[in-house]
Amino acid sequence: MTIKVFGHRSPDTDSTGSPIIWAWYLSEVKGTAAEAVLLGEPNTEAKFVLERWGQAQPAIIEDVEEGAPVVIVDTNNPAELPANINKADIREIIDHHKLAGGLETSAPISVTIRPLACTATLMHQLMGEDAAKMPREIKGLMLSCILSDTLEFRSPTTTDTDRALAEKLAGELGISIPDYAAEMFAAKSDVSAFSDAELLRMDSKEYEVGGVKFRVSVLETTSPKAILDRKAGLMEAMKQVAEEDGVDQVLLFVVDILNEEATLLVPNDLVRQVAEKSFGAKVEGDTVVLPGIMSRKKQIIPSLKV
Amino acid sequence: MTIKVFGHRSPDTDSTGSPIIWAWYLSEVKGTAAEAVLLGEPNTEAKFVLERWGQAQPAIIEDVEEGAPVVIVDTNNPAELPANINKADIREIIDHHKLAGGLETSAPISVTIRPLACTATLMHQLMGEDAAKMPREIKGLMLSCILSDTLEFRSPTTTDTDRALAEKLAGELGISIPDYAAEMFAAKSDVSAFSDAELLRMDSKEYEVGGVKFRVSVLETTSPKAILDRKAGLMEAMKQVAEEDGVDQVLLFVVDILNEEATLLVPNDLVRQVAEKSFGAKVEGDTVVLPGIMSRKKQIIPSLKV
């Protein structure tokens, strides 16, 4: 039975590219039938990357069958996975996020989580010498995942390992990292086709702190103005999204990739309090700029207080 | 702050030896202050192994302090760890058991779980070339952990990797595996000093199936008769242990290491039903022999039905 390899819901570049990389490794190197699938429509950057490296978009699945063999990459959080994930036959987990708890298996499996910026970097380590067998398009996906997750090495999640691998791959591919990253970020920043509610859910993780359930949404962009111009609509949509998704509050951080700062929308007193307690920010008006804040994983989630 | 490295409660040889091995690696190779500790009195085999390799018994701790740096080995199950484990600063997890769910961290850490027989084998892999730096006593502990967890390669959990490493270490140490394993198993089989209730809790994991909570206890021995002669007392003690530990039923499997079979004590209809449904056994009387059953992890837990 073909193993399905997938990342998290609302797939970004790493959750789109890494399943393809690992399915290639399992099928072509290990001789185990495997296919990459997606748990939703990839974002505009991921779509650009697929096209750039001549990869068909993997099929989108809603759920997994009981007992179906799966490999989970780029998450270990059941909230970001199909509802019946614990009834699937989870064969392996490869991730770089905090331990969420909640995934269970009935027998021992391989789990590898490392504090690297990018799942694809960890896959390269796991492949060992077999990584030399990667064809051009798999190398291209790997480079794209690293540039995306590190925001071209600007994110504080970036490790020397991620950076060295990206530079090695770019060299082998004959690609200029600054030029290629600029193309990727332009694709990611083109969000004009999405509604306000879609923007709030595009790159979003639920997180509970002090009894308050948040949807912590991040939009990484080289054009923050295009998003901040929609501030009124986004704040209005927060109420509906929170209600529909069963959370108390949506937090939207607009990450300015080039200026290395985030702007948090402040629609009410709860969010003002969060901004002050979590980031020591002084809030005046309905937005606040948080200098240096680029990473939900490393900076926002660990700081969050109510 | 010194990192505390520990395995599960009711430490067996792997949960006693592996923390010492990893604390050696962190301190002596990586230059990170670390010390091995235990979450309880080691079993008789583990005590024998410590003495054989000239190792002082690590301190026993009851709980961990909030924010204290810890490395967890040989388990990922909060039920086998201090009550406030999720408030500690978990730095790393190295294990070979099924994913239990429940451990959480606030930031990404290294987690390595592999379907190997023994945590010490996985540590050898993680050390890479640094494994060559292991002194004689650390190699001896590593060999002991593998022989213990594989029951001298008889357990179906044994992988080629575990076996090859044990044979390599025994060669380097100039040790006869059959002779040394026989000494270890004799030490493990000497349980005369323990009460019936202590025997039931010695190597025991809680597991819930079909709404029924079990304490699944295993006694690995080369002298099954010595334990089965205490059958009446053990069955009587099951009621009290179940009540005190908040489970519905204790299951005691007496694993005959040399004959590669287990004897399950059958004190009542519930256990008879478990034996029949889980292992297709025909039960007559108050014990049943299960040929080939040696591993709780690989054979008992995955089969358990009510």
Side-chain angles (χ1 to χ4, degrees), chain B residues 65-76:
Chain B
E65 282 164 53
E66 204 170 318
V70 305
V71 170
I72 299 169
V73 306
D74 195 29
T75 181
N76 71 85

Side-chain angles (χ1 to χ4, degrees), chain B residues 235-251:
Chain B
M235 285 188 183
E236 191 55 35
M238 281 181 182
K239 298 172 202 165
Q240 182 205 338
V241 167
E243 197 178 312
E244 284 178 11
D245 297 354
V247 301
D248 298 305
Q249 179 66 48
V250 178
L251 300 175

